[in-house]
Amino acid sequence: KVKAQLEEKEGKTFDVFTAVEFKTQVVAGTNYFIKVHVGNEEFMHLRVFKSLPHENEQLSLHSYQGSKTKHDELAYF
């Protein structure tokens, strides 16, 4: 659901976009920290926010970190 948001921010298209790990943080909603394989040996860490159900909003890409590897630890940011 957030692939298009990331592609727009990066100004490129990802042929590969596979989540390989995630962590959650409960706030006034939920933050998802997701490690995504985007092709070759490149990974990105995404912070995606899901609002509370009664707010009825779409998932939103809050922030991201590029130039990550498969072995980089997925940490809160």
Side-chain angles (χ1 to χ4, degrees):
K1 294 210 177 227
V2 297
K3 180 182 178 193
Q5 293 175 48
L6 180 63
E7 289 175 338
E8 183 178 329
K9 289 178 185 282
E10 281 288 290
K12 62 182 177 181
T13 302
F14 297 104
D15 294 329
V16 176
F17 197 81
T18 308
V20 295
E21 181 183 349
F22 78 96
K23 295 180 179 182
T24 61
Q25 176 188 40
V26 176
V27 289
T30 305
N31 281 322
Y32 291 91
F33 298 87
I34 308 167
K35 182 185 291 186
V36 178
H37 179 222
V38 293
N40 299 318
E41 296 300 314
E42 188 179 352
F43 290 78
M44 298 185 89
H45 293 181
L46 311 182
R47 180 174 165 188
V48 176
F49 179 72
K50 181 179 181 182
S51 64
L52 295 171
H54 71 274
E55 294 175 358
N56 200 25
E57 294 183 19
Q58 296 289 325
L59 291 174
S60 63
L61 177 63
H62 185 272
S63 56
Y64 64 95
Q65 299 173 334
S67 301
K68 296 291 185 178
T69 69
K70 181 178 184 175
H71 302 291
D72 284 338
E73 181 182 356
L74 182 59
Y76 298 99
F77 61 92

